[in-house]
């Protein structure tokens, strides 16, 4: 990663870049880096990548970069950004049509079933920034499917296909069934540990070239390293 200085004031580290052209930018969000600016004032993906584009291409004025989707701050992994408003609109349409496909890896505690297809209604409490499962007719529909890739040391490595993008969705849907994510201080028993949630793959259609693109990354470090054999097969 290359060190950058934005407007001579903010020294930051550029997140790892997977792909870039005139319309798209794919990068890896490190754990604990916000997707966009928040009240913490910590460096965020959107700001860091705008600084990267501004310096690399010597762009005057404000740099456009569209936030297509988000990742929870404690999570890491692949993110895709739009470099033009046209690309942002077309990617948003793909998401609404289910053609922007997101696959996650998570290490969960306990012994979940070998596979599952879960639908819940989730409601977010804005004051506490927490989400809970609520009865049908309330909240918003949340849908995911998963498969267990391996089990070890009282934990399971799950590959998750996300069909809806609700706040904290994966964390809440698993925790509500007794399988909290490893290191989840909010919905499990984690105490500032590394949240084991990683955006492993994004599949989409290029907004102008109309060709399929796949961006992927295998997570590193604990607890994912415990499942090195299973990850090597992906």
């Amino acid at each position: 990663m290359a060190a950058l200085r934005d407007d001579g004031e903010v020294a930051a580290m550029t997140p790892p870049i997977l792909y870039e052209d005139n319309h798209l930018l794919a990068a890896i969000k490190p754990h604990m880096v916000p997707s966009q600016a928040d009240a913490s004032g910590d460096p965020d993906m959107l700001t860091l990548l705008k600084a990267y584009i501004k310096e690399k291409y010597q762009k005057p004025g404000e740099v456009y970069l569209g936030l297509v989707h988000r990742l929870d701050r404690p999570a890491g992994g692949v993110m895709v950004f739009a470099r033009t408003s046209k690309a942002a609109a077309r990617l948003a349409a793909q998401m609404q049509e289910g053609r922007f496909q997101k696959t996650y890896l998570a290490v969960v505690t306990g012994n979940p079933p070998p596979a599952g297809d879960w639908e819940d209604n989730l409601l977010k409490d804005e004051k506490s920034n927490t989400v809970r499962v609520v009865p049908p007719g309330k909240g918003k529909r949340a849908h995911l499917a998963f498969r267990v890739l391996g089990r070890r040391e009282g934990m399971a490595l799950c590959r998750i296909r996300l069909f809806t993008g609700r706040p904290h969705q994966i964390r809440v849907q698993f925790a509500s069934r007794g399988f909290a994510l490893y290191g989840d201080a909010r919905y499990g028993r984690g105490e500032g540990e590394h949240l084991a949630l990683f955006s492993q793959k994004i599949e989409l259609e290029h907004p102008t070239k109309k060709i399929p693109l796949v961006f992927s990354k295998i997570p590193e470090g604990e607890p994912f390293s415990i499942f090195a054999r299973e990850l090597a097969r992906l």
Side-chain angles (χ1 to χ4, degrees), residues 20 27 75 117 120 175 177 182 207:
E20 67 177 291
D117 190 306
D120 295 297
R177 291 169 169 84
Y182 175 94

Side-chain angles (χ1 to χ4, degrees), residues 177-190:
R177 291 169 169 84
F179 312 118
L181 271 63
Y182 175 94
D184 194 341
R186 181 160 298 181
Y187 300 105
R189 296 183 179 179

Side-chain angles (χ1 to χ4, degrees), residues 19 21 23-24 94 204-213:
Y19 175 91
D21 63 19
H23 299 276
L24 292 176
Q94 288 185 42
L204 55 92
E205 180 183 88
H206 192 282
T208 60
K209 298 177 182 178
K210 306 299 182 181
I211 59 174
L213 295 174

Side-chain angles (χ1 to χ4, degrees), residues 82-151:
R83 291 197 57 197
T84 65
S85 57
K86 178 189 290 186
R90 291 181 177 179
L91 291 175
Q94 288 185 42
M95 294 185 74
Q96 291 178 347
E97 296 163 4
R99 296 186 294 119
F100 188 101
Q101 298 181 7
K102 295 178 284 185
T103 302
Y104 290 77
L105 291 172
V107 176
V108 307
T109 57
N111 189 33
D117 190 306
W118 293 342
E119 290 193 41
D120 295 297
N121 282 56
L122 303 183
L123 183 65
K124 184 175 182 180
D125 184 329
E126 297 293 344
K127 291 183 179 180
S128 64
N129 192 28
T130 57
V131 178
R132 71 181 189 276
V133 175
V134 293
K138 299 181 179 180
K140 294 183 178 180
R141 175 178 170 270
H143 181 201
L144 62 78
F146 74 92
R147 183 164 68 89
V148 173
L149 302 181
R151 302 179 193 271

